[in-house]
Amino acid sequence: MNLQKIIDKKDEAAKYMLDEITHICKTFEKRSPGSKGEEQACRYMAETLKKDGGCESAEIESFKEHPRAFFGWIYFTVTFVLLAIPVSFFVPLVSIFLIAAGLVIVLLEFGFYKQCIDKCFPEKTGHNVTAIKKCSGETKRRIVFNGHPDACWEWPVNYKLGGVGFEGHAILAALGAVYYVIISVISIVQNGLEAGIPDTSSGIFKAGLIGLIFVPFIIGLYWMVNYRRVVDGANDNLSGCYMGIAILKALKDEGITLENTEIAVVITGSEEAGLRGSKAWCKQHKDDFRDVPTFFFSYDTIHDPKYLMTNYRDLNGTVKSDKDVSDLFMEAAKELDIPCIKGWVPPLGGAVDNAAFTQAGFRSTGITGLNHKLENYYHTRRDTYDNMNLDGLAGCYAVSVKALEMFDEGAKQ
């Protein structure tokens, strides 16, 4: 079906998104993962999907999680590394073990989003929303628009120093850990495995003292996340939630119901806690949405139009998105002559919910609208409703509607 009339109303859709996002930020409690505010936003959007979007159903599902575990690696890894530094002077083998254990935890929890230390942190209840807009005839295909309603705890270094300072701080701390591994290995090669009083005149002892310059950066990681301040999360990621909602509203306003394409909007909570909500959704729906060709578009931080991007790889570059789904969005952008970058979520870039859907075997891609080199509003108090980009919202909306139109016509299924 030709949806050009819907596409032409992209500015109106962007204004609707901004108004709704402003309402959520002003009305409800802060939306940290597993919080009351996150649940309030989910319930509000579920009702909006039925009222404004014409969905026949909008189910709210709960799941158990340990949201602080995602950044909990900080306490384990930093403590292990700090203990390893003085130990390296006396028992270098133990120092290597401590640092290795710390690095394994950060790699599993923050690098691959594995839930390896969750039981060490308090349990909370997160919430997801699954809304369905049925087609008028036989369902032959389905498209799913996804976003996450939660907001992150603030990253103080990014707020004060920007992305260069934030990443530089983390890199210096990591170099400090590697430095003491190298020092310990050299010490074992020179002196064997026996522990003892260090020779204070040796070069390796002096090198160990020089390495103490890394200690302030390592200690500083304890304050990488400020749990006392939750950002508004207008861009990251109410913008992604409302992309699908705005499309359904536009279709309803025009009285359009697709004949053979079912449309779903899935809102998955606690993305900022390591994709907890989308992983829970995939478990709860592991046998669903597989009856007909189904494409997932997972949106995150739709802000700057010059950075509108289809992410062909996700989760620090380790997960490959579905090529057909990714190509469809790129082709839709080309049809409308709207710039869209073919990119990826790089190492240290984290992940969007697309990674969880892809890992669970769903056909999915991630759509972002930010520079993966951290912007100063990313996970800071600057991520507010009055710091949103209407052009960025409108462009992504237009491409998304075009992708829906092309999908409805049977493209790449």
Side-chain angles (χ1 to χ4, degrees):
M1 178 179 289
N2 188 313
L3 299 178
Q4 188 60 47
K5 184 183 291 188
I6 305 296
I7 295 170
D8 291 341
K9 294 188 175 181
K10 63 182 186 297
D11 293 332
E12 182 180 320
K15 180 63 167 57
Y16 167 76
M17 286 187 259
L18 178 58
D19 289 345
E20 284 289 295
I21 290 167
T22 300
H23 172 74
I24 290 176
C25 291
K26 285 185 172 182
T27 305
F28 302 130
E29 297 180 29
K30 295 293 187 179
R31 307 182 319 280
S32 59
S35 67
K36 182 179 179 181
E38 180 191 76
E39 180 183 359
Q40 290 171 337
C42 283
R43 294 191 180 280
Y44 176 79
M45 284 186 277
E47 289 302 313
T48 301
L49 281 159
K50 290 187 286 187
K51 176 175 63 76
D52 290 352
C55 291
E56 291 80 5
S57 65
E59 301 297 328
I60 299 172
E61 301 165 323
S62 64
F63 59 92
K64 297 299 181 180
E65 61 171 326
H66 305 264
R68 290 202 179 189
F70 182 57
F71 291 110
W73 64 267
I74 294 171
Y75 307 110
F76 288 89
T77 301
V78 173
T79 301
F80 286 178
V81 172
L82 289 175
L83 287 173
I85 290 173
V87 170
S88 69
F89 290 96
F90 301 93
V91 195
L93 183 62
V94 174
S95 176
I96 293 172
F97 175 80
L98 285 169
I99 294 174
L103 294 180
V104 166
I105 291 172
V106 67
L107 184 63
L108 289 175
E109 191 71 52
F110 197 68
F112 296 110
Y113 285 46
K114 301 294 185 182
Q115 299 177 21
C116 65
I117 55 173
D118 284 47
K119 297 299 182 181
C120 299
F121 296 87
E123 182 180 82
K124 289 193 174 185
T125 301
H127 293 83
N128 295 329
V129 177
T130 303
I132 305 292
K133 172 61 178 174
K134 294 180 180 179
C135 49
S136 61
E138 178 188 359
T139 302
K140 295 182 179 180
R141 64 192 71 84
R142 181 183 299 107
I143 194 164
V144 181
F145 299 114
N146 164 254
H148 71 83
D150 58 304
C152 195
W153 306 281
E154 185 168 63
W155 291 4
V157 178
N158 193 40
Y159 174 66
K160 294 290 187 180
L161 303 178
V164 173
F166 180 87
E167 293 180 354
H169 174 210
I171 289 171
L172 284 171
L175 286 176
V178 173
Y179 181 88
Y180 277 99
V181 169
I182 294 172
I183 290 293
S184 296
V185 169
I186 294 174
S187 178
I188 290 172
V189 170
Q190 291 182 351
N191 306 313
L193 295 175
E194 293 185 5
I197 303 300
D199 180 1
T200 57
S201 64
S202 68
I204 199 67
F205 180 84
K206 294 176 181 177
L209 292 179
I210 292 172
L212 295 178
I213 61 174
F214 291 109
V215 170
F217 299 101
I218 296 170
I219 293 175
L221 286 181
Y222 280 127
W223 292 274
M224 175 179 156
V225 178
N226 179 9
Y227 288 111
R228 293 187 300 274
R229 180 183 286 273
V230 181
V231 307
D232 283 347
N235 291 283
D236 184 12
N237 181 40
L238 291 178
S239 65
C241 294
Y242 268 90
M243 201 56 59
I245 297 173
I247 292 171
L248 285 177
K249 180 181 185 299
L251 290 170
K252 182 187 177 186
D253 288 348
E254 292 296 329
I256 296 174
T257 299
L258 301 179
E259 182 178 359
N260 300 118
T261 301
E262 184 175 275
I263 303 174
V265 171
V266 173
I267 308 296
T268 44
S270 300
E271 187 268 358
E272 302 293 1
L275 313 182
R276 269 25 177 199
S278 52
K279 286 178 179 288
W281 188 93
C282 289
K283 289 180 181 179
Q284 291 170 329
H285 295 270
K286 64 182 188 314
D287 298 321
D288 300 336
F289 290 7
R290 301 185 189 272
D291 52 334
V292 295
T294 300
F295 280 12
F296 283 68
F297 289 97
S298 186
Y299 300 91
D300 202 325
T301 316
I302 306 304
H303 182 77
D304 194 332
K306 70 174 177 289
Y307 289 117
L308 181 62
M309 180 183 297
T310 305
N311 293 274
Y312 279 70
R313 298 193 72 89
D314 207 324
L315 212 170
N316 296 307
T318 64
V319 173
K320 186 177 181 181
S321 304
D322 186 280
K323 185 177 185 301
D324 287 342
V325 184
S326 303
D327 286 348
L328 177 60
F329 196 86
M330 293 296 293
E331 290 169 13
K334 185 177 180 181
E335 284 288 323
L336 297 178
D337 197 28
I338 292 177
C340 186
I341 304 167
K342 180 179 180 179
W344 66 321
V345 181
L348 300 182
V352 302
D353 286 315
N354 159 60
F357 297 128
T358 301
Q359 288 178 320
F362 293 104
R363 303 186 68 183
S364 176
T365 195
I367 308 300
T368 54
L370 79 163
N371 186 353
H372 284 312
K373 295 179 181 179
L374 300 184
E375 301 281 2
N376 67 3
Y377 68 85
Y378 183 73
H379 291 178
T380 75
R381 67 195 72 178
R382 296 186 181 96
D383 186 4
T384 57
Y385 59 85
D386 55 358
N387 185 27
M388 300 193 75
N389 190 313
L390 288 173
D391 290 337
L393 292 172
C396 183
Y397 164 88
V399 176
S400 300
V401 175
K402 188 65 178 180
L404 171 61
E405 176 188 291
M406 295 169 69
F407 184 68
D408 181 57
E409 293 171 351
K412 289 189 175 295
Q413 294 171 43

